[in-house]
């Protein structure tokens, strides 16, 4: 594999991150410097830098006597992850409610929904439709962090969202979860634009609890 020397660490990070999130590198896989050096054809320095970023993002763990291993999540881990993510998303909604650009927030939410609804309403989704749907579905959540005006909240959610994405990349390819996610997003948007912010936050938390059911099925499989 040939990489641009000026951005070796960044490219290796992006490749490994994508492979972990899409489970081309399964949970619990041990990553060794030797194998990665052979894979990318580079020295250990850019690989170590990439692995450090993945560790900070919560996608791999570093053990002094073992090395670097892709995270493993139990059912308890998943439950805690989705519950806490629901709390953070709910807070992001409540904080966003204080932002002066409410019309803009509602327009952005509506724009995302129009895309996911159009994709989901197709009689038969093509493989190339799936990445766009997932991207816009994720974007619905991220809009609230864009306007929450709380950097600590946004940073906390960013790390957890990477772990959550490992599972959402699996179940969000299926029609039933897509329909349920679209329906919940629509209900959240409707409550938010009616200025029923507490209701929107509660719906968001329920939305994450519903998604947890699909995530647990992925863990079993």
């Amino acid at each position: 594999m040939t990489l641009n020397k000026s951005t070796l660490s960044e490219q290796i990070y992006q490749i490994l991150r994508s492979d972990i999130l899409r489970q081309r590198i399964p949970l619990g896989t041990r990553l060794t410097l030797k194998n990665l050096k052979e894979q990318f054809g580079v020295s250990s320095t850019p690989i170590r830098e990439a692995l450090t970023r993945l560790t900070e993002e919560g996608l791999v763990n570093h053990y002094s006597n073992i090395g670097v291993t892709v995270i493993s999540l139990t059912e308890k881990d998943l439950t805690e992850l989705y519950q806490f993510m629901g709390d953070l998303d709910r807070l992001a909604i409540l904080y966003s409610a204080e932002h002066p650009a409410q019309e803009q927030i509602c327009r952005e939410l509506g724009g995302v929904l129009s895309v996911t609804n159009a994709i989901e309403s197709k009689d038969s989704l093509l493989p190339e439709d799936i990445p766009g749907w997932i991207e816009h579905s994720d974007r619905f959540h991220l809009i609230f962090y864009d306007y929450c005006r709380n950097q600590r909240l946004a940073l906390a959610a960013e790390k957890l969202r990477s772990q959550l994405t490992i599972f959402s990349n699996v179940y969000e390819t299926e029609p039933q979860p897509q329909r349920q996610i679209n329906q919940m997003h629509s209900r959240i948007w409707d409550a938010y634009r009616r200025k029923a912010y507490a209701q929107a936050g509660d719906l968001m938390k329920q939305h994450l609890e519903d998604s947890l059911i699909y995530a647990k099925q992925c863990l079993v499989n």
Side-chain angles (χ1 to χ4, degrees):
M1 182 177 296
T2 302
L3 300 176
N4 186 328
K5 290 184 178 180
S6 64
T7 56
L8 280 176
S9 175
E10 175 65 23
Q11 291 181 70
I12 293 170
Y13 162 74
Q14 292 294 345
I15 291 169
L16 292 177
R17 183 179 189 275
S18 176
D19 285 349
I20 293 171
L21 293 182
R22 298 187 181 282
Q23 283 300 274
R24 291 188 287 263
I25 301 178
L27 296 174
T29 300
R30 183 182 176 190
L31 303 176
T32 67
L33 277 177
K34 179 182 177 182
N35 290 342
L36 292 175
K37 285 168 65 176
E38 292 176 355
Q39 176 183 347
F40 294 107
V42 299
S43 68
S44 60
T45 299
I47 293 174
R48 290 182 188 277
E49 292 173 353
L51 292 176
T52 296
R53 291 183 63 184
L54 292 170
T55 301
E56 293 171 348
E57 196 172 351
L59 291 177
V60 302
N61 293 319
H62 182 269
Y63 302 100
S64 58
N65 59 334
I66 297 177
V68 176
T69 304
V70 178
I71 60 169
S72 294
L73 296 176
T74 65
E75 183 172 323
K76 181 177 184 295
D77 293 328
L78 266 188
T79 300
E80 292 179 354
L81 173 62
Y82 274 78
Q83 285 178 343
F84 191 42
M85 198 73 243
D87 289 332
L88 294 181
D89 280 7
R90 181 178 181 277
L91 277 177
I93 288 177
L94 297 179
Y95 288 0
S96 294
E98 302 298 324
H99 198 286
Q102 290 303 305
E103 291 185 4
Q104 177 65 22
I105 295 173
C106 289
R107 279 197 300 270
E108 290 188 29
L109 292 171
V112 166
L113 277 171
S114 67
V115 174
T116 55
N117 284 333
I119 294 174
E120 191 266 329
S121 64
K122 291 183 178 181
D123 292 334
S124 178
L125 289 185
L126 299 174
E128 55 265 30
D129 292 326
I130 302 299
W133 191 93
I134 292 176
E135 178 184 354
H136 284 84
S137 176
D138 290 345
R139 180 64 192 148
F140 183 87
H141 295 253
L142 296 175
I143 287 170
F144 294 112
Y145 290 96
D146 287 347
Y147 290 94
C148 73
R149 297 191 292 188
N150 189 305
Q151 186 178 15
R152 287 174 174 79
L153 176 62
L155 288 174
E158 182 179 2
K159 180 175 181 178
L160 290 177
R161 188 166 293 281
S162 294
Q163 296 181 355
L164 185 147
T165 301
I166 292 173
F167 296 90
S168 64
N169 275 341
V170 177
Y171 63 73
E172 287 188 1
T173 64
E174 301 297 327
Q176 177 57 34
Q178 286 180 355
R179 283 193 294 272
Q180 184 169 351
I181 290 169
N182 269 349
Q183 290 169 359
M184 287 301 292
H185 285 181
S186 296
R187 292 178 64 190
I188 293 165
W189 179 52
D190 179 65
Y192 190 89
R193 63 179 175 169
R194 288 189 288 103
K195 303 186 186 304
Y197 301 123
Q199 181 186 10
D202 290 343
L203 286 169
M204 179 64 83
K205 187 165 176 59
Q206 180 62 53
H207 170 37
L208 268 293
E209 291 176 1
D210 293 341
S211 295
L212 172 61
I213 298 172
Y214 294 117
K216 287 182 177 180
Q217 293 172 354
C218 297
L219 190 64
V220 171
N221 295 333

